[in-house]
Amino acid sequence: MSSPRGRFITLEGGEGSGKSTQAKRLAERLRSHGLDVVLTREPGGSPGAEAVRAALLGGAVKPYGSDVEALLFAAARADHVDRTIAPALARGQWVICDRFIDSTRVYQGAVGQVEAPLLNALEQVAIGPARPDLTLLLDISSEAGLARAAARAQGQVGDRFEREGMAFHQAVRTAFLELAGADPERCVVVDAGRQPDMVAIDIAKAVRARFPEALSETVPA
């Protein structure tokens, strides 16, 4: 008998929203409930996708425009889904991913103005049926998020997206909120401007509400 399909949770949000930290904390929490968890990220998460990551985040692709960026993100995502996400879900594992399709919809689509038909076609080819069961949108003001990102960088130059201006990041935040509002069955908005412990508790509550059969009623501190 084959294993039941696992669960797929993605974390989205602007720069400095704490996605990576909260993805790790959620993975640890789920493992404490005895669940088998795969923690991954985009761009990356598989050998082929990791090879593309440096070009995308380093800014080498930016001069070619948002359409080319979207194509490369889709290529990396296809390898990620094929080699990491889909096999884990087929084994019945839970997959937690730091960024996924919504980042492309926002950064290259809503803000970069890549046309929806192209994005939809790329998405269908790249992910097939591997769609998130739950997306947690970590929402924080653009000013606070960029301040966090700068503190984290410790004087080093930020990545291709962190280097964009304030208007860009405000547009990203607005687009994420609009996307979440249009898909409330999948997306839960979490206030990420608070202390990490408080954010983690709200994330745990959202996950438990969506998957009550898998998690106990107790939310650890």
Side-chain angles (χ1 to χ4, degrees):
M1 182 180 296
S2 61
S3 301
R5 178 188 180 276
R7 300 295 190 178
F8 185 16
I9 301 173
T10 58
L11 284 82
E12 298 281 6
E15 310 306 319
S17 58
K19 298 178 308 304
S20 300
T21 296
Q22 294 299 334
K24 292 175 184 177
R25 293 184 68 152
L26 178 57
E28 292 169 358
R29 189 183 297 271
L30 294 177
R31 287 169 182 148
S32 75
H33 286 270
L35 298 172
D36 190 359
V37 178
V38 172
L39 177 62
T40 188
R41 67 176 183 176
E42 289 206 347
S46 65
E50 289 289 341
V52 179
R53 180 182 175 89
L56 286 167
L57 297 189
V61 183
K62 182 181 177 181
Y64 300 99
S66 295
D67 284 359
V68 174
E69 271 192 340
L71 287 168
L72 282 178
F73 271 111
R77 182 166 296 130
D79 189 72
H80 185 203
V81 169
D82 184 59
R83 294 178 177 271
T84 303
I85 296 174
L89 293 175
R91 291 190 296 266
Q93 295 174 296
W94 287 56
V95 177
I96 298 173
C97 190
D98 176 356
R99 293 200 184 280
F100 196 57
I101 52 175
D102 296 306
S103 283
T104 300
R105 292 173 177 177
V106 166
Y107 284 85
Q108 283 72 49
V111 181
Q113 298 185 330
V114 175
E115 294 185 359
L118 174 57
L119 284 182
N120 293 338
L122 291 173
E123 186 174 299
Q124 183 59 44
V125 170
I127 73 171
R131 297 185 177 274
D133 299 297
L134 172 64
T135 294
L136 300 159
L137 171 57
L138 275 60
D139 179 51
I140 189 172
S141 73
S142 302
E143 295 81 0
L146 289 176
R148 283 185 181 178
R152 179 184 63 209
Q154 296 181 335
Q156 296 183 354
V157 177
D159 68 28
R160 173 257 186 274
F161 298 104
E162 291 171 350
R163 294 195 296 268
E164 294 287 349
M166 184 61 67
F168 175 93
H169 293 286
Q170 290 171 339
V172 164
R173 184 189 185 195
T174 297
F176 268 126
L177 289 171
E178 290 176 350
L179 187 153
D183 194 357
E185 291 298 314
R186 174 174 65 89
C187 301
V188 175
V189 179
V190 178
D191 179 1
R194 300 165 298 155
Q195 291 297 316
D197 287 349
M198 298 301 296
V199 177
I201 288 172
D202 276 1
I203 286 175
K205 289 178 179 177
V207 173
R208 191 184 68 214
R210 190 62 54 93
F211 310 112
E213 74 284 359
L215 303 179
S216 68
E217 290 296 320
T218 302
V219 178

